[in-house]
PDB file of all heavy atoms in Angstrom:
ATOM      1  N   ALA C 148       4.208  22.895 -10.760  1.00  0.00           N
ATOM      2  CA  ALA C 148       4.068  23.456  -9.435  1.00  0.00           C
ATOM      3  C   ALA C 148       5.444  23.701  -8.818  1.00  0.00           C
ATOM      4  O   ALA C 148       5.634  23.686  -7.635  1.00  0.00           O
ATOM      5  CB  ALA C 148       3.261  22.498  -8.534  1.00  0.00           C
ATOM      6  N   THR C 149       6.470  23.908  -9.707  1.00  0.00           N
ATOM      7  CA  THR C 149       7.747  24.398  -9.279  1.00  0.00           C
ATOM      8  C   THR C 149       8.052  25.679  -9.976  1.00  0.00           C
ATOM      9  O   THR C 149       7.464  25.964 -11.010  1.00  0.00           O
ATOM     10  CB  THR C 149       8.872  23.375  -9.660  1.00  0.00           C
ATOM     11  OG1 THR C 149       9.054  23.227 -11.038  1.00  0.00           O
ATOM     12  CG2 THR C 149       8.622  21.954  -9.006  1.00  0.00           C
ATOM     13  N   LEU C 150       8.981  26.377  -9.447  1.00  0.00           N
ATOM     14  CA  LEU C 150       9.310  27.721  -9.941  1.00  0.00           C
ATOM     15  C   LEU C 150      10.831  27.804 -10.137  1.00  0.00           C
ATOM     16  O   LEU C 150      11.599  27.390  -9.267  1.00  0.00           O
ATOM     17  CB  LEU C 150       8.774  28.786  -8.987  1.00  0.00           C
ATOM     18  CG  LEU C 150       9.097  30.282  -9.365  1.00  0.00           C
ATOM     19  CD1 LEU C 150       8.242  30.663 -10.641  1.00  0.00           C
ATOM     20  CD2 LEU C 150       8.748  31.180  -8.204  1.00  0.00           C
ATOM     21  N   THR C 151      11.180  28.451 -11.194  1.00  0.00           N
ATOM     22  CA  THR C 151      12.635  28.771 -11.447  1.00  0.00           C
ATOM     23  C   THR C 151      12.670  30.011 -12.251  1.00  0.00           C
ATOM     24  O   THR C 151      11.688  30.635 -12.621  1.00  0.00           O
ATOM     25  CB  THR C 151      13.382  27.561 -12.052  1.00  0.00           C
ATOM     26  OG1 THR C 151      14.796  27.838 -11.823  1.00  0.00           O
ATOM     27  CG2 THR C 151      13.095  27.380 -13.515  1.00  0.00           C
ATOM     28  N   PHE C 152      13.898  30.407 -12.622  1.00  0.00           N
ATOM     29  CA  PHE C 152      14.172  31.649 -13.229  1.00  0.00           C
ATOM     30  C   PHE C 152      15.166  31.411 -14.325  1.00  0.00           C
ATOM     31  O   PHE C 152      15.943  30.430 -14.254  1.00  0.00           O
ATOM     32  CB  PHE C 152      14.667  32.682 -12.266  1.00  0.00           C
ATOM     33  CG  PHE C 152      13.801  32.771 -11.022  1.00  0.00           C
ATOM     34  CD1 PHE C 152      14.057  32.041  -9.869  1.00  0.00           C
ATOM     35  CD2 PHE C 152      12.613  33.569 -11.073  1.00  0.00           C
ATOM     36  CE1 PHE C 152      13.187  32.103  -8.807  1.00  0.00           C
ATOM     37  CE2 PHE C 152      11.806  33.633  -9.955  1.00  0.00           C
ATOM     38  CZ  PHE C 152      12.130  32.933  -8.776  1.00  0.00           C
ATOM     39  N   PRO C 153      15.279  32.262 -15.369  1.00  0.00           N
ATOM     40  CA  PRO C 153      16.300  32.087 -16.467  1.00  0.00           C
ATOM     41  C   PRO C 153      17.649  32.088 -15.868  1.00  0.00           C
ATOM     42  O   PRO C 153      17.934  32.749 -14.844  1.00  0.00           O
ATOM     43  CB  PRO C 153      16.077  33.319 -17.332  1.00  0.00           C
ATOM     44  CG  PRO C 153      14.622  33.754 -17.098  1.00  0.00           C
ATOM     45  CD  PRO C 153      14.407  33.404 -15.628  1.00  0.00           C
ATOM     46  N   MET C 154      18.499  31.322 -16.488  1.00  0.00           N
ATOM     47  CA  MET C 154      19.927  31.199 -16.011  1.00  0.00           C
ATOM     48  C   MET C 154      20.853  31.270 -17.217  1.00  0.00           C
ATOM     49  O   MET C 154      20.457  30.800 -18.321  1.00  0.00           O
ATOM     50  CB  MET C 154      20.129  29.835 -15.341  1.00  0.00           C
ATOM     51  CG  MET C 154      19.350  29.714 -14.052  1.00  0.00           C
ATOM     52  SD  MET C 154      19.557  28.063 -13.313  1.00  0.00           S
ATOM     53  CE  MET C 154      21.248  28.145 -12.758  1.00  0.00           C
ATOM     54  N   THR C 155      21.963  31.937 -17.047  1.00  0.00           N
ATOM     55  CA  THR C 155      22.933  32.097 -18.117  1.00  0.00           C
ATOM     56  C   THR C 155      24.291  31.397 -17.734  1.00  0.00           C
ATOM     57  O   THR C 155      24.796  31.602 -16.658  1.00  0.00           O
ATOM     58  CB  THR C 155      23.187  33.575 -18.403  1.00  0.00           C
ATOM     59  OG1 THR C 155      21.957  34.180 -18.759  1.00  0.00           O
ATOM     60  CG2 THR C 155      24.218  33.789 -19.571  1.00  0.00           C
ATOM     61  N   TYR C 156      24.818  30.644 -18.630  1.00  0.00           N
ATOM     62  CA  TYR C 156      26.131  30.042 -18.511  1.00  0.00           C
ATOM     63  C   TYR C 156      26.823  30.037 -19.826  1.00  0.00           C
ATOM     64  O   TYR C 156      26.227  29.640 -20.871  1.00  0.00           O
ATOM     65  CB  TYR C 156      25.969  28.586 -17.964  1.00  0.00           C
ATOM     66  CG  TYR C 156      27.225  27.901 -17.773  1.00  0.00           C
ATOM     67  CD1 TYR C 156      28.146  28.254 -16.779  1.00  0.00           C
ATOM     68  CD2 TYR C 156      27.532  26.796 -18.567  1.00  0.00           C
ATOM     69  CE1 TYR C 156      29.376  27.564 -16.652  1.00  0.00           C
ATOM     70  CE2 TYR C 156      28.720  26.088 -18.431  1.00  0.00           C
ATOM     71  CZ  TYR C 156      29.648  26.448 -17.415  1.00  0.00           C
ATOM     72  OH  TYR C 156      30.815  25.796 -17.317  1.00  0.00           O
ATOM     73  N   LYS C 157      28.081  30.514 -19.861  1.00  0.00           N
ATOM     74  CA  LYS C 157      28.853  30.548 -21.092  1.00  0.00           C
ATOM     75  C   LYS C 157      28.155  31.278 -22.167  1.00  0.00           C
ATOM     76  O   LYS C 157      28.147  30.896 -23.349  1.00  0.00           O
ATOM     77  CB  LYS C 157      29.328  29.186 -21.563  1.00  0.00           C
ATOM     78  CG  LYS C 157      30.344  28.517 -20.613  1.00  0.00           C
ATOM     79  CD  LYS C 157      30.855  27.249 -21.183  1.00  0.00           C
ATOM     80  CE  LYS C 157      31.906  26.640 -20.263  1.00  0.00           C
ATOM     81  NZ  LYS C 157      32.550  25.464 -20.859  1.00  0.00           N
ATOM     82  N   GLY C 158      27.474  32.381 -21.833  1.00  0.00           N
ATOM     83  CA  GLY C 158      26.755  33.225 -22.861  1.00  0.00           C
ATOM     84  C   GLY C 158      25.476  32.670 -23.363  1.00  0.00           C
ATOM     85  O   GLY C 158      24.804  33.320 -24.169  1.00  0.00           O
ATOM     86  N   ILE C 159      24.992  31.532 -22.863  1.00  0.00           N
ATOM     87  CA  ILE C 159      23.770  31.002 -23.270  1.00  0.00           C
ATOM     88  C   ILE C 159      22.743  31.048 -22.109  1.00  0.00           C
ATOM     89  O   ILE C 159      23.048  30.571 -20.987  1.00  0.00           O
ATOM     90  CB  ILE C 159      23.894  29.484 -23.742  1.00  0.00           C
ATOM     91  CG1 ILE C 159      24.900  29.439 -24.931  1.00  0.00           C
ATOM     92  CG2 ILE C 159      22.565  28.908 -24.126  1.00  0.00           C
ATOM     93  CD1 ILE C 159      25.245  28.042 -25.346  1.00  0.00           C
ATOM     94  N   THR C 160      21.610  31.642 -22.403  1.00  0.00           N
ATOM     95  CA  THR C 160      20.576  31.803 -21.408  1.00  0.00           C
ATOM     96  C   THR C 160      19.471  30.743 -21.628  1.00  0.00           C
ATOM     97  O   THR C 160      18.931  30.603 -22.777  1.00  0.00           O
ATOM     98  CB  THR C 160      19.957  33.213 -21.396  1.00  0.00           C
ATOM     99  OG1 THR C 160      21.004  34.171 -21.127  1.00  0.00           O
ATOM    100  CG2 THR C 160      18.871  33.331 -20.350  1.00  0.00           C
ATOM    101  N   LEU C 161      19.175  30.042 -20.611  1.00  0.00           N
ATOM    102  CA  LEU C 161      18.038  29.097 -20.660  1.00  0.00           C
ATOM    103  C   LEU C 161      16.821  29.766 -19.983  1.00  0.00           C
ATOM    104  O   LEU C 161      17.038  30.340 -18.884  1.00  0.00           O
ATOM    105  CB  LEU C 161      18.360  27.799 -19.946  1.00  0.00           C
ATOM    106  CG  LEU C 161      19.448  26.989 -20.503  1.00  0.00           C
ATOM    107  CD1 LEU C 161      19.663  25.697 -19.633  1.00  0.00           C
ATOM    108  CD2 LEU C 161      19.235  26.527 -21.946  1.00  0.00           C
TER     109      LEU C 161
END
Side-chain angles (χ1 to χ4, degrees):
T149 68
L150 179 68
T151 196
F152 309 95
M154 296 174 70
T155 302
Y156 179 68
K157 292 187 176 184
I159 299 171
T160 299
L161 298 179

